[in-house]
Amino acid sequence: MTPAAVLVTVIAYFLVLYLVASLSGRRADNQGFFVGNRRSPWPVVAFAMIGSSISGVTFVSVPGWVQASQFSYLQMALGFVAGQLVIAFVLIPLFYRMGLVSIYQYLESRFGIASYRTGAWFFFLSKMIGAAVRVYLVCLVMQLLVFGPLHVPFVWNVAATMVLVWLYTYRGGVKSLIWTDSLKTFCLVASIGLCIYFIASDLHLGLGDAVGAVAWHDYSRIFFFDDLNDRRYFFKQFLAGAFTVIAMTGLDQDMMQRNLSCRNYRDSQKNIVTSGLLQLFVILLFLVLGVLLYLYAERSGIRTPERSDELFPMIATGGYFPAAVGVLFVIGLVSSAYSAAGSALTALTTSFTVDILRCTERCDEARTARVRKRVHAGMAATMGVVILVFGLLNDTSVIDAVYTLASYTYGPILGLFAFGIFTRRSVRDRWIPLVAVLSPVLCYVLQCNSERWFGGYSFSYELLIFNALFTFVGLCLLIVPGRRGETGRALPDTESGQSAKTE
């Protein structure tokens, strides 16, 4: 595809996206921005969550990743489904009972203000870095396809991307995101399905032949039980997947804002279970596409790039297929990119406004709206800077970087919530920030020395579990003898002064 064709595709998609955002975000107040006024239909939220969970990293990185990891990612995806069940039947009833706008308000109710701020700041760090990594990959592809050939520096690529994301989330927040994410999910799934169809057709493979070619390929092995030290070992991947989705969805303000926008907790449970099963199917489609891409490159004599992240964009837009394949790739890429960046920007704005500045408690509606808009712009600018920094430092597969970072930054949040939900003990709140900082440090020491200490065992993403465990043990050391805490009580409604209730 030519740079002009890519630009026209992106602009056309963005105009449709902005139209949907404008219509759905009309007359959105602060509650509409933060939790969609809790009126979102659960089937729409479930469909939208697919686009939210599957970012540009998945779209570009997972197909190329099959060469190194085969289908082992499905082991982790099975863990995702198990984690979704925990979210649906443990966390959702609790959060709805308390009527939360930010899920980190639970930590204040359970432990105290220091815990609340610790959770909010760790989320801020986790989401800012994670979102920046995801958007970085999309900017990298856009630089390859558009800005590089036009001799436009990478910094202007990042600036343009963040301005576009800021524009379509500015008005309605979550109220707009539910509907724009539905549009993006449709574009994402349609593009990946049609890309598989075009590639299989070019290889002269019917449906049955394509399934057989993928199933018998060396890259299609799913389960790995033979080597405990292998990063792909089943129980390492499955447990890492379960705990990762609990942390990165259930304890992530970004993802839970959508789930908390449903009318009641039962609708939210239906949404989470449904979206989890659909996500498993979509991940399988990405892995199938990866095998077909490598099969096509092998049969066509195409030299695969050193960075596996570049395989899909190189083949889809390199003129090997009809122009429709390139257009579908660009639409899928920008739809997944804007989904991840837009939702992260909204969640960061909500958490910073509600948790760190505490505007909903200290300010009236009008002042909260003014502060929220300034924070929203500030978050966009900050994310742009982080993307540029990551571009200077990254030397690994982007999806690997996402889960590695999550293992360090989400662990303390997972440990805090686990202790709060599964025990009734009170702790010395002021020391919790120290525990939350020391846990990732201990994990880093453990990871650096694991092969020497444990007979060659190498930690993968299951490091998240140990991070949470260190936090849990640290909280045990801070228990106040003779005092018991509550697992969560309803918070006063900021407008009416009454405790929040669910239907």
Side-chain angles (χ1 to χ4, degrees):
M1 291 182 71
T2 64
V6 176
L7 274 178
V8 169
T9 303
V10 171
I11 291 171
Y13 174 83
F14 180 75
L15 289 175
V16 175
L17 187 69
Y18 187 74
L19 177 63
V20 173
S22 297
L23 291 175
S24 59
R26 286 183 301 177
R27 297 186 294 276
D29 55 11
N30 288 320
Q31 285 298 305
F33 187 96
F34 295 145
V35 289
N37 300 114
R38 300 196 195 278
R39 294 176 184 170
S40 303
W42 77 263
V44 177
V45 178
F47 188 66
M49 285 291 290
I50 300 172
S52 306
S53 303
I54 296 175
S55 66
V57 172
T58 305
F59 190 81
V60 173
S61 199
V62 168
W65 206 27
V66 298
Q67 185 181 44
S69 301
Q70 299 173 294
F71 272 29
S72 64
Y73 190 42
L74 270 184
Q75 299 176 134
M76 200 166 180
L78 291 171
F80 292 164
V81 175
Q84 296 278 25
L85 295 177
V86 174
I87 295 169
F89 297 104
V90 177
L91 296 179
I92 284 295
L94 172 65
F95 293 158
Y96 266 86
R97 185 177 76 242
M98 297 181 67
L100 302 181
V101 172
S102 166
I103 62 174
Y104 306 112
Q105 291 172 310
Y106 166 80
L107 297 177
E108 181 181 20
S109 171
R110 179 64 177 83
F111 299 118
I113 189 65
S115 304
Y116 179 24
R117 289 173 175 164
T118 299
W121 276 109
F122 263 88
F123 164 74
F124 180 84
L125 178 66
S126 304
K127 182 53 60 176
M128 181 61 76
I129 294 175
V133 170
R134 291 172 168 89
V135 180
Y136 159 75
L137 179 58
V138 177
C139 291
L140 200 65
V141 174
M142 293 300 290
Q143 190 71 24
L144 177 70
L145 299 180
V146 179
F147 294 98
L150 295 177
H151 306 290
V152 176
F154 186 69
V155 63
W156 292 110
N157 173 1
V158 173
T161 299
M162 293 315 304
V163 167
L164 290 177
V165 173
W166 174 80
L167 277 173
Y168 92 84
T169 56
Y170 172 76
R171 186 182 299 270
V174 169
K175 191 173 181 179
S176 293
L177 278 175
I178 297 299
W179 296 100
T180 56
D181 280 357
S182 297
L183 170 65
K184 287 177 281 190
T185 298
F186 173 79
C187 293
L188 177 67
V189 175
S191 65
I192 201 71
L194 289 171
C195 282
I196 289 174
Y197 169 77
F198 280 114
I199 293 172
S201 296
D202 202 79
L203 289 170
H204 305 293
L205 298 173
L207 177 60
D209 294 331
V211 171
V214 171
W216 289 101
H217 199 280
D218 292 341
Y219 293 164
S220 64
R221 181 182 174 186
I222 299 174
F223 298 107
F224 293 79
F225 291 101
D226 48 339
D227 185 3
L228 179 64
N229 294 329
D230 191 340
R231 288 168 62 91
R232 299 168 298 180
Y233 184 66
F234 175 80
F235 289 106
K236 293 168 72 171
Q237 292 276 302
F238 180 83
L239 291 174
F243 282 93
T244 295
V245 85
I246 291 170
M248 294 182 68
T249 298
L251 304 179
D252 184 297
Q253 179 64 26
D254 178 4
M255 306 302 285
M256 291 307 290
Q257 268 186 277
R258 295 168 175 76
N259 296 318
L260 295 178
S261 73
C262 293
R263 289 181 169 86
N264 53 60
Y265 83 91
R266 294 193 183 279
D267 279 0
S268 186
Q269 288 174 327
K270 296 173 190 174
N271 145 56
I272 290 171
V273 174
T274 303
S275 64
L277 294 174
L278 291 174
Q279 183 185 359
L280 178 65
F281 173 71
V282 174
I283 288 173
L284 176 61
L285 288 181
F286 278 105
L287 295 172
V288 168
L289 173 64
V291 172
L292 290 175
L293 286 169
Y294 278 107
L295 193 61
Y296 179 82
E298 178 185 334
R299 293 188 181 180
S300 304
I302 300 173
R303 184 178 179 181
T304 57
E306 285 186 22
R307 292 173 58 94
S308 62
D309 297 332
E310 297 176 0
L311 176 68
F312 188 17
M314 181 188 76
I315 292 180
T317 63
Y320 301 103
F321 297 107
V325 176
V327 171
L328 289 169
F329 170 80
V330 172
I331 291 175
L333 177 66
V334 297
S335 63
S336 56
Y338 288 136
S339 174
S343 61
L345 199 57
T346 300
L348 286 166
T349 300
T350 298
S351 185
F352 201 86
T353 304
V354 174
D355 299 325
I356 296 173
L357 299 181
R358 309 195 77 172
C359 280
T360 54
E361 299 176 17
R362 301 172 179 174
C363 308
D364 58 23
E365 180 79 5
R367 179 166 174 75
T368 298
R370 290 195 298 271
V371 172
R372 166 175 58 80
K373 291 173 182 177
R374 292 171 189 161
V375 170
H376 192 226
M379 292 299 105
T382 304
M383 190 181 296
V385 172
V386 176
I387 292 169
L388 293 173
V389 172
F390 187 80
L392 298 175
L393 300 177
N394 179 54
D395 60 354
T396 185
S397 170
V398 176
I399 194 165
D400 183 56
V402 167
Y403 288 124
T404 300
L405 289 168
S407 299
Y408 282 97
T409 55
Y410 279 96
I413 299 175
L414 180 58
L416 280 168
F417 274 89
F419 187 91
I421 292 170
F422 296 113
T423 76
R424 296 185 63 86
R425 308 296 299 183
S426 293
V427 298
R428 294 177 176 84
D429 179 58
R430 62 176 178 166
W431 295 106
I432 285 180
L434 178 61
V435 170
V437 171
L438 287 177
S439 295
V441 173
L442 290 175
C443 282
Y444 179 75
V445 173
L446 186 66
Q447 187 176 36
C448 290
N449 296 280
S450 64
E451 294 187 22
R452 182 162 53 89
W453 290 349
F454 305 114
Y457 183 88
S458 175
F459 279 99
S460 182
Y461 312 130
E462 78 277 12
L463 194 67
L464 171 71
I465 303 171
F466 288 88
N467 199 345
L469 180 62
F470 289 148
T471 303
F472 194 100
V473 172
L475 293 178
C476 290
L477 299 176
L478 299 180
I479 289 175
V480 179
R483 286 180 55 187
R484 298 175 69 84
E486 297 184 34
T487 56
R489 59 182 182 273
L491 296 176
D493 185 84
T494 54
E495 295 182 4
S496 65
Q498 302 295 318
S499 293
K501 298 179 181 180
T502 58
E503 297 178 26

